[in-house]
Amino acid sequence: MSDKAIIKATGLSVGYGDYVLLHDANYQVNQGDVFIIMGGSGCGKSSMLRVLTGLLPPLKGTVEIEGVNMVTASAKEIEKIQQKSGILYQSGALFSSMTLAENIMLPLQQYSDYSPATIRELAGLKLALVGLKGFDDFYPSEISGGMKKRAGLARALALDPNIVYFDEPSAGLDPISSHNLDELILEINRSLGTTIVVVTHELSSIFTIGNNSIFLDAESKTIMARGNPRDLLKNPPNQAVYEFLTRGGEGK
């Protein structure tokens, strides 16, 4: 893991119009991190993710991704950064009328100069990477929820991104499927060196995959803690972080 910041937020305020979810946030995500954005309901986790992916402008402050200021960058510069990023949404967000291979081929068709044969081959390789070898011609309705998440991840990896964002990846999954997805996230991080940013409130995932994190607090609208989640569990900086990381005995 490098200490080089691939994402840097400075004086960042997040919200909608006059409604502020988070103010004056400062943090960085280092190259190779599995970075967790955590906190209770309504703290602004998903909105923060929207800011990082360029889908929501911040109310104040800046976000730099790979040295590019996403607030002042041109539309072309933002699109270039977005092409170097992948996103896995809660539902997988696969196109139901397309096969798994066709879903993965879509970004390759739009943003690469590969031949149709090479694109088809790459789609198969990405499916194999997430444990779905041989499922190229299946439709989303023909596979389980956990497999849909894996297929969505394969599509997120289609353009070999430097950063992959996950929005509540364990949502709707049983404990075994959730654990298997966590292991897959770690494998991609280790084998490909991909920087991972995960929005989640699931303690099992937080402690299994995260090596760095921020804790968003809905009441104070600030980042209340930052660092390795396991270190925060051992030495919680305040009661709110302690209660979040030990709720239901899961963090003990």
Side-chain angles (χ1 to χ4, degrees):
M1 183 178 64
S2 168
D3 289 332
K4 180 182 177 183
I6 193 168
I7 299 173
K8 186 175 182 180
T10 306
L12 191 65
S13 293
V14 176
Y16 302 86
D18 295 330
Y19 183 68
V20 178
L21 287 163
L22 186 75
H23 62 83
D24 296 324
N26 298 282
Y27 65 92
Q28 73 177 44
V29 180
N30 294 326
Q31 183 98 34
D33 271 353
V34 179
F35 188 88
I36 307 294
I37 300 174
M38 60 182 176
S41 178
C43 68
K45 300 187 298 295
S46 293
S47 295
M48 176 67 77
L49 192 67
R50 287 174 59 81
V51 169
L52 294 180
T53 54
L55 299 176
L56 176 69
L59 298 178
K60 190 177 71 171
T62 61
V63 174
E64 293 180 31
I65 298 181
E66 298 192 73
V68 175
N69 186 332
M70 298 292 281
V71 176
T72 60
S74 67
K76 187 174 182 180
E77 288 174 315
I78 291 174
E79 184 180 14
K80 187 175 180 181
I81 289 293
Q82 289 173 333
Q83 287 177 27
K84 295 162 67 177
S85 306
I87 306 175
L88 177 61
Y89 296 99
Q90 285 190 33
S91 64
L94 298 169
F95 291 103
S96 59
S97 61
M98 293 181 175
T99 65
L100 302 189
E102 288 169 343
N103 268 277
I104 297 161
M105 289 163 62
L106 190 59
L108 289 162
Q109 291 165 340
Q110 291 181 321
Y111 299 113
S112 80
D113 297 322
Y114 295 126
S115 68
T118 299
I119 287 175
R120 179 80 189 191
E121 182 180 359
L122 287 171
L125 289 172
K126 299 301 181 184
L127 284 168
L129 179 65
V130 300
L132 291 176
K133 182 179 180 180
F135 285 84
D136 305 46
D137 297 324
F138 280 64
Y139 286 89
S141 62
E142 298 175 320
I143 59 177
S144 69
M147 294 168 76
K148 288 177 185 176
K149 292 287 181 82
R150 287 172 173 261
L153 179 54
R155 187 177 61 187
L157 294 170
L159 296 172
D160 298 319
N162 297 332
I163 307 169
V164 176
Y165 300 96
F166 293 78
D167 186 10
E168 298 284 3
S170 299
L173 297 183
D174 62 82
I176 294 176
S177 296
S178 178
H179 173 76
N180 290 340
L181 183 59
D182 285 342
E183 291 298 318
L184 180 57
I185 290 171
L186 284 176
E187 179 59 30
I188 287 168
N189 172 254
R190 292 166 181 163
S191 61
L192 302 180
T194 308
T195 301
I196 307 290
V197 177
V198 183
V199 165
T200 185
H201 65 280
E202 296 286 345
L203 291 184
S204 58
S205 293
I206 288 169
F207 293 120
T208 297
I209 65 177
N211 74 294
N212 198 1
S213 70
I214 52 175
F215 177 85
L216 310 186
D217 178 59
E219 186 174 347
S220 64
K221 300 183 179 181
T222 63
I223 294 177
M224 189 169 275
R226 49 173 59 79
N228 189 305
R230 289 174 290 280
D231 293 338
L232 294 177
L233 176 63
K234 291 177 183 176
N235 298 291
N238 51 60
Q239 187 66 20
V241 173
Y242 173 78
E243 289 177 359
F244 179 85
L245 293 177
T246 59
R247 62 190 194 278
E250 293 177 77
K252 296 180 179 179

